[in-house]
Amino acid sequence: MLVRALTAPGLRRWCQGQRGAAAACFPLGRALLGVRGAEAAVFLQGLLTNDVTQLVAEGDAPTALYAHALNVQGRCLYDVILYRLHGSTAEEPHILLECDSSVLDSIQQHLKVYKIRRKVTIAPCPDLSLWAVLPGDTGSLPKCADQALLLTPDPRAEVMGWRLIAKKGANVSEIIPGSQVGDIQDYHRHRYKQAQPSLHSRPDHTRHHPAAFVLSLGIPEGVKDLPPGVALPLESNLAFMNGISFTKGCYIGQELTARTHHVGVIRKRLLPVSFPGPLPRAGIPEGAEILTQAGKRAGKFRAGGGELGIALLRLAHLHEPLCVPLAGDRVELRATTPEWWPKGAAK
């Protein structure tokens, strides 16, 4: 179960006595957009896949939600994480929207088109910084936060650690004592595939073969993993990442998504992939076609770093040898089912 997010005073009390390996903090190249006003949640409710009204509900309201904004054809435009900054229902709703920084202008325009006369203000937040926090081991959590505006578990999956929002220029080592600033490429490698687990936690048949068991994640993020106007939300594992409500009211792009869900047939999904052999000097191009050994089209490579990446693949070919044809050669590729998926999800 995820621990509820705490603002600085509460977190300071809660964290006393916590022990664990040092956390790694990664400065994210994602933008924050403030949506504030009496109708903020109702406004976003009609534009996003998740039930945004949860953020302004009484009682145990969540502090963060994952969602997609879709176009009228039901394809993903923007992947976003929403953060609740107001402390109670008595306060004016104040929601931060995290998005890929390259689409900040277009998402502002998208929101303003549908704003009409709603009592909502929309403005970027250049004075804030966004960090991903990955504990040093699966049982450790950040120790304390004196300057944090918000520190909350990543709503997409427990394996993604925490999201930290702080004032621009804040010292992260003071917010989370003992933490270290990590290389952003290591954060992306974590999204694509996690390091090997400890020996005692591996299945018996892999303990004498360290390379035979690696926990796979495959968490998509940003326009490279989720190309605007191309990616479909359910193929992108949105339901597995707590990013969609099938009981809320209408929203843009709902029809195709709801129909696919109720039919229950999803033939392609985003999967973590790895390249066991040597790679071309230029790497694997985004959008490269993936084939089976027999030459059948199996999917497309989306993005990655080094020998790790993420691809949209037909589940029927998941356990077959796969390759990417490049300049007359074939680069071997292996796909795996993410460890955090529900059981039987790859069927």
Side-chain angles (χ1 to χ4, degrees):
M1 172 181 274
L2 295 180
V3 181
R4 179 173 172 163
L6 299 170
T7 50
L11 185 63
R12 196 181 307 114
R13 295 191 299 270
W14 178 83
C15 299
Q16 289 178 351
Q18 292 291 324
R19 295 293 182 267
C25 300
F26 301 91
L28 299 180
R30 305 224 339 140
L32 289 169
L33 192 64
V35 182
R36 192 167 192 167
E39 297 181 286
V42 176
F43 165 59
L44 293 173
Q45 181 79 340
L47 300 176
L48 300 175
T49 57
N50 216 334
D51 185 0
V52 185
T53 61
Q54 295 179 76
L55 294 176
V56 293
E58 295 183 0
D60 192 22
T63 310
L65 285 177
Y66 179 56
H68 283 187
L70 310 180
N71 62 17
V72 292
Q73 289 80 30
R75 295 184 180 271
C76 176
L77 287 177
Y78 317 106
D79 65 305
V80 303
I81 298 179
L82 304 174
Y83 303 96
R84 174 175 56 84
L85 289 191
H86 54 277
S88 70
T89 55
E91 297 179 34
E92 179 183 70
H94 187 187
I95 298 170
L96 284 183
L97 185 151
E98 171 195 330
C99 65
D100 191 303
S101 59
S102 68
V103 298
L104 177 61
D105 290 341
S106 60
I107 198 170
Q108 285 186 83
Q109 287 302 116
H110 180 74
L111 295 178
K112 288 177 180 178
V113 164
Y114 293 97
K115 179 177 177 289
I116 313 176
R117 293 190 178 92
R118 293 215 181 261
K119 298 177 181 178
V120 173
T121 58
I122 303 166
C125 304
D127 58 328
L128 299 179
S129 60
L130 177 69
W131 300 75
V133 181
L134 299 179
D137 59 64
T138 56
S140 67
L141 292 173
K143 291 184 177 181
C144 71
D146 293 326
Q147 305 173 34
L149 184 63
L150 188 71
L151 180 62
T152 180
D154 191 309
R156 298 172 296 181
E158 193 170 1
V159 292
M160 287 307 297
W162 296 60
R163 270 326 205 232
L164 167 66
I165 298 174
K167 292 290 185 181
K168 184 75 75 176
N171 189 333
V172 179
S173 64
E174 293 180 4
I175 296 174
I176 306 175
S179 64
Q180 298 179 345
V181 175
D183 187 325
I184 189 62
Q185 295 307 317
D186 289 335
Y187 166 75
H188 293 306
R189 287 177 62 84
H190 176 83
R191 290 196 300 107
Y192 293 135
K193 186 164 288 185
Q194 194 176 28
Q196 294 171 354
S198 60
L199 188 63
H200 65 79
S201 66
R202 298 177 195 162
D204 292 339
H205 67 278
T206 68
R207 293 186 180 181
H208 300 295
H209 303 280
F213 186 66
V214 178
L215 293 178
S216 58
L217 298 188
I219 303 286
E221 182 178 290
V223 297
K224 290 187 176 182
D225 295 344
L226 301 164
V230 174
L232 288 167
L234 297 185
E235 289 184 350
S236 304
N237 306 320
L238 184 64
F240 295 168
M241 294 188 289
N242 314 303
I244 188 166
S245 169
F246 295 107
T247 58
K248 64 176 281 186
C250 295
Y251 58 90
I252 294 174
Q254 178 195 25
E255 185 177 352
L256 175 62
T257 305
R259 185 166 66 245
T260 304
H261 170 69
H262 290 300
V263 170
V265 179
I266 301 173
R267 294 185 172 86
K268 295 184 288 184
R269 286 192 180 275
L270 280 182
L271 293 164
V273 297
S274 61
F275 299 91
L279 292 173
R281 180 171 297 182
I284 306 297
E286 296 166 14
E289 192 167 54
I290 299 172
L291 304 177
T292 66
Q293 272 193 334
K296 293 182 179 179
R297 294 180 178 177
K300 289 189 176 182
F301 181 72
R302 282 282 175 80
E307 77 282 8
L308 302 177
I310 196 166
L312 182 68
L313 292 171
R314 292 185 179 276
L315 295 176
H317 301 305
L318 173 59
H319 302 296
E320 297 181 29
L322 301 171
C323 66
V324 176
L326 291 176
D329 196 8
R330 291 193 170 196
V331 181
E332 183 183 350
L333 171 148
R334 294 175 185 170
T336 52
T337 303
E339 301 294 327
W340 53 272
W341 277 17
K343 287 186 178 180
K347 293 182 179 179

